[in-house]
Amino acid sequence: MGKNQADQEPHVSGQANKPLSQPPHALPHPVVTQELHANPDDGLSEQEAKSRLDEYGRNELDDGPGVQPVKILVRQIANAMMLVLLMAMAVSFGISSYIEGGVIAAVIILNIIVGFFQEFNAEKTMDSLRSLSSPTAVAVRGGNTITIPTAEIVPGDIVELKTGDTVPADIRLVEAMNFETDEALLTGESLPVGKETETTFDVDIGAGDRLNVAFSSSTVTKGRARGVVFATGMKTEIGTIAAALRATGKRTRPVKRKPDGSAKPHRYAQAWGLTAGDFVGTFLGVNVGTPLQRKLSKLAILLFGVAVVCAIIVLAANRFSSNKEVIIYAVATGLSMIPACLIVVLTITMAAGTKRMVQRHVIVRRLDSLEALGAVTDICSDKTGTLTQGKMVAKRAWIPCVGTYAVGTSNDPVDPTQGDLTHTEEPPTAIQVESDNKDEKGGVSYEELLEDNAPLKDYLNVASLANLAHVHKSEDGWKARGDPTEIAIQVFVSRFNWNRERLTKEESWSQVAEFPFDSDVKKMSVIFANKATSTNMVFSKGAVERIIGSCNLVRLEKGAELTEMSEEFRSTILQNMEALAAQGLRVLALASKEYKGATGGDDSSYDRAAIESDLTFQGLIGLYDPPRVESAGAVKQCHQAGITVHMLTGDHPGTAKAIAAQVGIIPARDEAVARDVADAMVTTASAFDKLSDDDIDKLPVLPLVIARCSPNTKVRMIEALHRRKCFAAMTGDGVNDSPSLKRADVGIAMGQAGSDVAKDASDIVLTDDNFASILNAIEEGRRMFDNIQKFVLHLLAENIAQACTLLIGLAFKDSSSQSVFPLAPVEILWVIMITSGMPDMGLGVEIAAPDIMARPPQSLKKGIFTLEIVVDILVYGVWMACLCLASFSIVMFGFGDGNLGSGCNTRYSEECDTVFRARATTFVCLTWFALFLAWEMVNMRRSFFRMQPKSKRYFTQWMYDVWRNQFLFWAVIAGFVTIFPTLYIPVVNHVIFKHTGISWEWGIIVVEAILFFGGVESWKWAKRVYFRRIAKKTGQADLEAMVFSRYLNSDSVWSEGEGQVDEKKVG
């Protein structure tokens, strides 16, 4: 909520944050702009915007209490894991084992305290990230069009709106073209409301009739507009009904009723039963959270069952004795199988991961996507602004009867005074790029080029007026706002002083109607009236194939009459387009005609198809959008990671192919590609859409590049990938991209160029619209998946080690045939408390392994429990148990007399001294092994002493690796140090822990520790040898050859025999 807004005097509906002379809907927009001290051209300065943000507060609704500590505390107590500990505590106190009961109580309190603070911090992190993923707004600040969080919009901001945007605040419209909004949330009106700018309304008119205002939280369904913000936060109209927006859903299942509203008794019982089942499922955690959280909750329940079995085994081994020590030992053995901190560590790991992603320009909207990112096998990416910089420059313009115009190098893409203009009468097909670049050194003035050149003026009219971008010079240089494509064209016409602003203000041109770009027709058109000549003109621009399909006239010679466009000349146009596209230019066509129909009324009253037919072809324009510097490297890393990159773009196939080759999406040496595969590698949406699903499935490979792509094509591509068992990520920015974003396994929206509708449909948002950030997200997803595997492996291996030690140790019988426990109950609880939670949290924040992006994608079907992980759990758990039992046996039977005494489970005596020493040795060994295993798990395959393969510190690198993760370091050190008080403090050792201080036994512990490291290191070495042999069979020295091996002829330089890749990796 905005600062102090709730404490001020009651707000009048329709007024600004700081009341104006009248409500904005009752004032002309210039007056509103003036009273708000706003600048309609350059917007607010950054300093002024910051000052107003401090004055009015953030543009947010009061969304309730936010992070609630009480609820977090209740969650720490009311869960299945805590229930088990509480039951164990109750059993302990019930049989008068007050020491054990007190220790369990301490464990419970410690878990609650640690869990509360960790989850509280995680909730605060997630709450702050939720604000980052909220809608954004396009505002004009300091003459630049920038994208900012909606919460930072302030009164006086100039905001631009387009189809798919969510209106960020209450806005008095200044410009509107074919503009409609959906105000159902505010007024209940189901139909979109058309807006206007010039009309003013009565002060007391209802919100639904204020047609010159766009309301906060409404959605733009059509057209575009600009306006000035007058109300933010709780001062908006939606702010007055914010309480209604916070209504929560019911927690009870509805009763199934007959059409007349009645229901039989069993339906009530069914609803109550389902509601009770939901409550139990929520309590146990099996129907809430992400899929991984639910899976681990089910694992915890399974382990609880195993714990019960272990307890029964302990009781059975002691003939179900009612001896309280046996019962407590049974309880402790059961607790050794309970991963008490599992879900808490998972929650903290995911929260820390999402925070880290923000630093790498990725905002996670749905936590499920964190698990999915590591499994991505295919990325379907747009080109413009994602793989490329999105900073377009018009480089070539071809007018059939005049020739080709070229623009020289410019350091500022929006400054029309930089870069020389040159002209040649040759068409693009006849121009050699190298020689053309040389000619650009000597420029020609635009006055010379315009002199006696009507075809150029006609061409510039179309380029300037069929264009919504705004380019102007301000005090601190040239500024531009609008779509990057249109900005580039507007800068080009500004080089000839043919700017749209000048034409509309000085040359008597005024807009009559606008038909925005549509992804189906791939054109945009406007109707302009020329008051000087009393004529109306249609100006169109769009995809070359669509424009020339709508043209029937062309001027072939300067000064000649218009002639009918022949099929031969259409082919000439396409050849010139191909020549420009081969240079990596995005090519658009321009056309126009005189419009003699009736004008007036709404844009929807015009027949768009008729208006955009029988046009006169004016020429082509080639725009260069250079690839991002990091795109080629990012694509290469994707290939190394086993991820196939597909480019789905609206550009011409030639342009798309040129850019795709530059960034490495398609092989550079395409002469080696088989003919049928070459056709499938680069295709058009029209060709792809004509294929049935069966035809697509029969393709040898799915296209790597689809040009002239439509929203439906993206959906079909995702479905085709799914049929090939691929796991796909899809990028999108427009409203029409929503279906493909939802259908993809990971939907990725653009944070800067994306519409709010697209963001709402996505799983993650890229704040910098950069393809390399997708790779960052995948790397972070894999890192988190890795870390979850690490701490689950550590936790379960430790559980198995404890359980095996305790169960096998039941074989040690004293003179009264009672089992002598190798570990006392309190020792077990201490190991659980000290060696689980904190080290596992440390593993959860571990950095990515050096080879994390050199592995194939993870399998979500297998999840975290791959065969490797399961075998590792068993190997490490059994090895630790063997060493622990060996340590007990060596002290007891090797150096001792083998006398297990009598009553050594309950009290210390001279007779029990050897048992107590053996128990202490076993306790220290198990604790050390569990702590050292956490360090070994930092990398599950590489040696603890050589985790960084490229390091030159051959003998000391492990020290740097250990110190790097300081959370884990101090967690291990704390566990190491706290052993000593338990061994040597009188009473604590004999009475509570049932062991005694040791001396020469430390030699056994050190030897066992060396054996532990030796065993783990040997196992890791065996794994590395195995995986190296596996990699050798599929290895490939040439990355490009490996990635595109399925695309190559068997008799080419790269043969199929030289390397194979998994089908999933190449789509």
Side-chain angles (χ1 to χ4, degrees):
M1 186 177 78
K3 185 175 63 179
N4 299 329
Q5 287 184 6
D7 302 329
Q8 295 174 3
E9 58 190 36
H11 179 64
V12 177
S13 175
Q15 258 294 7
N17 285 45
K18 183 181 290 185
L20 307 182
S21 59
Q22 291 189 72
H25 62 265
L27 296 171
H29 63 76
V31 177
V32 176
T33 304
Q34 182 180 0
E35 291 193 16
L36 288 168
H37 304 290
N39 185 325
D41 291 322
D42 291 339
L44 301 175
S45 66
E46 288 295 340
Q47 294 83 357
E48 178 63 20
K50 186 178 184 304
S51 171
R52 295 193 185 197
L53 187 63
D54 293 337
E55 179 182 356
Y56 297 112
R58 291 172 66 81
N59 176 33
E60 297 172 330
L61 299 179
D62 180 5
D63 284 331
V67 179
Q68 296 177 282
V70 175
K71 284 190 175 182
I72 295 173
L73 183 61
V74 170
R75 282 203 298 271
Q76 302 309 308
I77 301 170
N79 62 71
M81 296 295 179
M82 198 56 62
L83 180 64
V84 174
L85 290 172
L86 289 169
M87 289 169 58
M89 182 181 71
V91 170
S92 301
F93 285 126
I95 61 174
S96 302
S97 291
Y98 299 114
I99 292 175
E100 287 78 4
V103 172
I104 295 175
V107 171
I108 290 172
I109 293 170
L110 186 65
N111 265 336
I112 289 174
I113 292 172
V114 172
F116 171 79
F117 283 107
Q118 293 289 352
E119 194 166 334
F120 179 72
N121 290 330
E123 283 281 339
K124 287 203 298 184
T125 299
M126 295 306 296
D127 193 54
S128 65
L129 295 181
R130 273 190 285 272
S131 66
L132 289 176
S133 64
S134 62
T136 53
V138 177
V140 181
R141 294 267 177 94
N144 296 313
T145 303
I146 60 173
T147 301
I148 60 174
T150 296
E152 295 179 12
I153 289 292
V154 296
D157 260 327
I158 303 299
V159 171
E160 298 184 350
L161 301 167
K162 64 181 184 303
T163 304
D165 285 352
T166 298
V167 180
D170 283 358
I171 296 171
R172 175 62 167 93
L173 298 175
V174 175
E175 298 175 12
M177 182 54 64
N178 204 18
F179 187 69
E180 294 181 0
T181 62
D182 180 358
E183 298 177 355
L185 187 67
L186 184 70
T187 65
E189 178 61 48
S190 59
L191 295 176
V193 180
K195 298 292 184 177
E196 53 191 78
T197 60
E198 302 303 323
T199 310
T200 56
F201 300 92
D202 292 338
V203 172
D204 299 328
I205 199 168
D209 296 320
R210 299 170 193 164
L211 301 183
N212 55 11
V213 171
F215 294 104
S216 175
S217 299
S218 61
T219 304
V220 181
T221 59
K222 188 178 180 182
R224 61 179 178 84
R226 290 179 79 233
V228 59
V229 173
F230 65 85
T232 59
M234 296 301 286
K235 299 294 188 181
T236 60
E237 285 300 307
I238 201 68
T240 63
I241 58 171
L245 299 179
R246 289 187 233 120
T248 57
K250 288 186 176 181
R251 295 178 181 269
T252 57
R253 293 288 189 101
V255 178
K256 290 186 178 180
R257 301 180 182 276
K258 296 179 180 178
D260 61 1
S262 63
K264 292 184 178 181
H266 76 276
R267 292 297 185 188
Y268 287 95
Q270 181 188 46
W272 295 335
L274 291 171
T275 301
D278 289 343
F279 173 79
V280 173
T282 301
F283 181 78
L284 296 175
V286 296
N287 60 6
V288 292
T290 70
L292 183 57
Q293 287 172 325
R294 294 195 294 270
K295 189 178 292 184
L296 291 181
S297 294
K298 291 175 183 176
L299 170 67
I301 294 171
L302 174 65
L303 292 175
F304 173 68
V306 174
V308 172
V309 173
C310 290
I312 293 172
I313 292 173
V314 171
L315 294 172
N318 289 275
R319 301 174 185 174
F320 292 96
S321 169
S322 59
N323 185 306
K324 69 176 186 178
E325 290 303 321
V326 173
I327 295 173
I328 282 296
Y329 191 79
V331 169
T333 304
L335 288 179
S336 72
M337 287 303 298
I338 301 297
C341 60
L342 184 62
I343 304 302
V344 172
V345 174
L346 178 64
T347 302
I348 293 164
T349 299
M350 297 180 85
T354 54
K355 187 175 182 179
R356 184 183 172 97
M357 280 193 175
V358 171
Q359 298 168 354
R360 304 190 72 180
H361 310 294
V362 179
I363 296 172
V364 178
R365 298 189 68 255
R366 294 181 176 87
L367 281 178
D368 295 27
S369 63
L370 291 178
E371 302 156 32
L373 282 167
V376 168
T377 62
D378 291 74
I379 300 173
C380 299
S381 174
D382 191 13
K383 176 184 76 70
T384 304
T386 306
L387 287 162
T388 61
Q389 296 178 20
K391 297 177 180 178
M392 294 192 182
V393 178
K395 299 295 288 182
R396 300 283 188 275
W398 175 61
I399 303 172
C401 63
V402 177
T404 304
Y405 295 88
V407 178
T409 304
S410 168
N411 293 324
D412 185 353
V414 300
D415 186 349
T417 63
Q418 291 191 21
D420 293 331
L421 282 169
T422 60
H423 172 250
T424 175
E425 295 182 359
E426 299 291 340
T429 51
I431 298 174
Q432 295 295 323
V433 178
E434 291 80 11
S435 62
D436 182 57
N437 286 339
K438 292 176 184 177
D439 293 341
E440 289 177 14
K441 291 181 180 178
V444 183
S445 69
Y446 75 85
E447 292 92 346
E448 291 181 55
L449 297 174
L450 284 171
E451 188 177 350
D452 193 26
N453 197 342
L456 175 59
K457 294 176 182 178
D458 292 341
Y459 176 95
L460 294 174
N461 282 338
V462 182
S464 179
L465 298 175
N467 191 319
L468 309 180
H470 183 70
V471 176
H472 68 285
K473 188 174 184 180
S474 64
E475 294 178 359
D476 55 344
W478 286 88
K479 306 291 183 182
R481 63 172 186 266
D483 177 79
T485 301
E486 296 196 328
I487 288 175
I489 298 174
Q490 196 65 245
V491 171
F492 177 76
V493 299
S494 297
R495 296 179 185 280
F496 296 86
N497 194 27
W498 220 261
N499 189 290
R500 175 190 173 105
E501 189 172 6
R502 188 183 74 80
L503 295 183
T504 53
K505 290 182 179 178
E506 301 176 18
E507 298 293 330
S508 303
W509 288 99
S510 61
Q511 186 165 321
V512 175
E514 178 184 312
F515 307 94
F517 178 83
D518 185 278
S519 56
D520 293 324
V521 299
K522 296 194 180 299
K523 286 180 284 194
M524 77 84 64
S525 302
V526 292
I527 301 176
F528 264 80
N530 189 332
K531 297 175 184 176
T533 60
S534 300
T535 58
N536 295 321
M537 295 294 296
V538 174
F539 299 127
S540 292
K541 78 169 186 296
V544 178
E545 300 93 331
R546 300 299 180 92
I547 290 290
I548 64 174
S550 301
C551 292
N552 62 355
L553 295 173
V554 64
R555 195 183 308 276
L556 296 177
E557 293 183 14
K558 193 173 180 180
E561 294 295 320
L562 295 174
T563 59
E564 196 79 18
M565 184 183 288
S566 64
E567 288 302 319
E568 182 182 355
F569 189 75
R570 283 192 172 88
S571 298
T572 301
I573 295 173
L574 293 175
Q575 289 169 11
N576 282 286
M577 175 190 67
E578 297 282 358
L580 293 173
Q583 301 170 31
L585 301 183
R586 182 183 184 189
V587 187
L588 299 177
L590 309 179
S592 63
K593 75 172 183 180
E594 184 177 350
Y595 178 66
K596 297 183 179 179
T599 58
D602 188 76
D603 291 351
S604 59
S605 62
Y606 293 93
D607 181 355
R608 178 168 183 171
I611 287 171
E612 293 180 334
S613 62
D614 301 326
L615 300 172
T616 299
F617 179 76
Q618 296 294 349
L620 303 178
I621 188 163
L623 310 170
Y624 184 59
D625 183 13
R628 291 180 183 266
V629 176
E630 59 271 28
S631 288
V635 171
K636 184 178 180 180
Q637 279 187 279
C638 283
H639 291 158
Q640 290 173 330
I643 301 169
T644 300
V645 182
H646 305 262
M647 179 195 288
L648 278 60
T649 177
D651 280 348
H652 177 266
T655 307
K657 185 176 180 181
I659 297 296
Q662 287 180 42
V663 299
I665 290 177
I666 59 176
R669 293 175 280 181
D670 57 356
E671 71 277 357
V673 178
R675 183 175 299 174
D676 61 333
V677 181
D679 293 337
M681 280 176 57
V682 181
T683 188
T684 60
S686 58
F688 188 78
D689 291 340
K690 287 176 184 176
L691 299 175
S692 66
D693 288 348
D694 289 339
D695 292 334
I696 293 173
D697 293 340
K698 289 176 183 176
L699 291 173
V701 288
L702 286 178
L704 292 177
V705 177
I706 301 182
R708 298 300 191 214
C709 197
S710 66
N712 183 59
T713 310
K714 293 185 175 183
V715 173
R716 294 199 68 200
M717 183 65 172
I718 290 293
E719 291 173 344
L721 286 166
H722 285 166
R723 290 195 299 274
R724 297 190 183 211
K725 308 301 181 188
C726 297
F727 206 80
M730 171 69 76
T731 68
D733 52 15
V735 177
N736 292 337
D737 290 330
S738 299
S740 60
L741 290 174
K742 286 186 175 179
R743 200 74 58 91
D745 299 294
V746 180
I748 304 171
M750 301 297 113
Q752 296 178 355
S755 66
D756 289 333
V757 173
K759 292 175 191 173
D760 190 56
S762 68
D763 298 301
I764 64 175
V765 178
L766 306 183
T767 57
D768 60 352
D769 293 8
N770 192 338
F771 179 84
S773 295
I774 302 176
L775 198 70
N776 293 342
I778 291 173
E779 182 181 344
E780 284 300 314
R782 290 190 179 190
R783 184 189 67 83
M784 266 187 285
F785 197 91
D786 255 17
N787 288 350
I788 291 167
Q789 282 187 320
K790 289 172 187 176
F791 71 67
V792 168
L793 194 163
H794 176 257
L795 203 59
L796 297 185
E798 187 181 334
N799 286 352
I800 286 179
Q802 290 178 84
C804 289
T805 302
L806 297 172
L807 293 176
I808 297 173
L810 292 171
F812 300 122
K813 300 280 188 176
D814 63 10
S815 56
S816 61
S817 296
Q818 289 286 324
S819 294
V820 175
F821 309 139
L823 287 170
V826 174
E827 288 178 326
I828 298 165
L829 295 171
W830 184 265
V831 171
I832 293 171
M833 182 172 65
I834 294 298
T835 65
S836 294
M838 301 309 286
D840 287 333
M841 289 177 194
L843 286 173
V845 297
E846 185 59 43
I847 65 169
D851 64 340
I852 197 164
M853 293 305 287
R855 308 176 199 160
Q858 294 142 351
S859 169
L860 281 188
K861 187 175 181 181
K862 295 178 182 176
I864 59 173
F865 292 103
T866 61
L867 180 61
E868 180 186 356
I869 294 296
V870 172
V871 174
D872 280 354
I873 290 171
L874 293 173
V875 169
Y876 296 142
V878 171
W879 179 237
M880 290 163 68
C882 289
L883 291 173
C884 287
L885 290 168
S887 66
F888 185 88
S889 300
I890 291 170
V891 174
M892 195 71 237
F893 304 105
F895 293 94
D897 57 8
N899 179 16
L900 293 168
S902 177
C904 295
N905 291 331
T906 58
R907 66 186 182 280
Y908 176 79
S909 65
E910 288 298 325
E911 184 185 19
C912 294
D913 184 71
T914 307
V915 173
F916 272 50
R917 283 179 172 274
R919 195 177 282 150
T921 305
T922 307
F923 168 65
V924 175
C925 283
L926 181 59
T927 304
W928 278 22
F929 296 162
L931 293 170
F932 291 151
L933 183 63
W935 270 337
E936 283 281 5
M937 289 303 96
V938 168
N939 193 305
M940 292 184 287
R941 291 184 187 173
R942 295 205 64 83
S943 168
F944 169 73
F945 304 100
R946 192 69 180 152
M947 290 187 190
Q948 308 299 326
K950 296 180 181 179
S951 172
K952 300 297 183 184
R953 303 184 185 104
Y954 298 105
F955 301 105
T956 58
Q957 180 59 45
W958 65 273
M959 298 180 187
Y960 292 90
D961 291 328
V962 162
W963 178 247
R964 187 194 63 249
N965 186 341
Q966 294 193 26
F967 190 102
L968 178 59
F969 175 82
W970 290 114
V972 171
I973 294 301
F976 182 84
V977 170
T978 51
I979 290 175
F980 296 96
T982 70
L983 288 174
Y984 298 110
I985 295 178
V987 180
V988 171
N989 54 5
H990 289 176
V991 178
I992 297 176
F993 282 86
K994 304 294 190 296
H995 61 214
T996 190
I998 55 177
S999 54
W1000 58 266
E1001 290 89 352
W1002 283 107
I1004 295 174
I1005 294 168
V1006 171
V1007 172
E1008 294 256 344
I1010 293 170
L1011 289 173
F1012 169 76
F1013 273 111
V1016 175
E1017 289 294 323
S1018 298
W1019 177 249
K1020 283 187 172 184
W1021 173 80
K1023 285 204 302 179
R1024 289 197 298 275
V1025 170
Y1026 171 77
F1027 285 112
R1028 271 201 296 267
R1029 288 178 179 175
I1030 294 295
K1032 211 174 219 182
K1033 294 178 182 178
T1034 58
Q1036 182 62 262
D1038 189 329
L1039 178 64
E1040 191 174 72
M1042 179 185 74
V1043 173
F1044 301 113
S1045 62
R1046 289 185 64 210
Y1047 295 80
L1048 308 174
N1049 289 321
S1050 58
D1051 58 348
S1052 68
V1053 178
W1054 306 329
S1055 68
E1056 287 273 3
E1058 288 181 83
Q1060 302 290 329
V1061 284
D1062 187 349
E1063 276 192 313
K1064 289 184 179 181
K1065 295 184 187 177
V1066 292

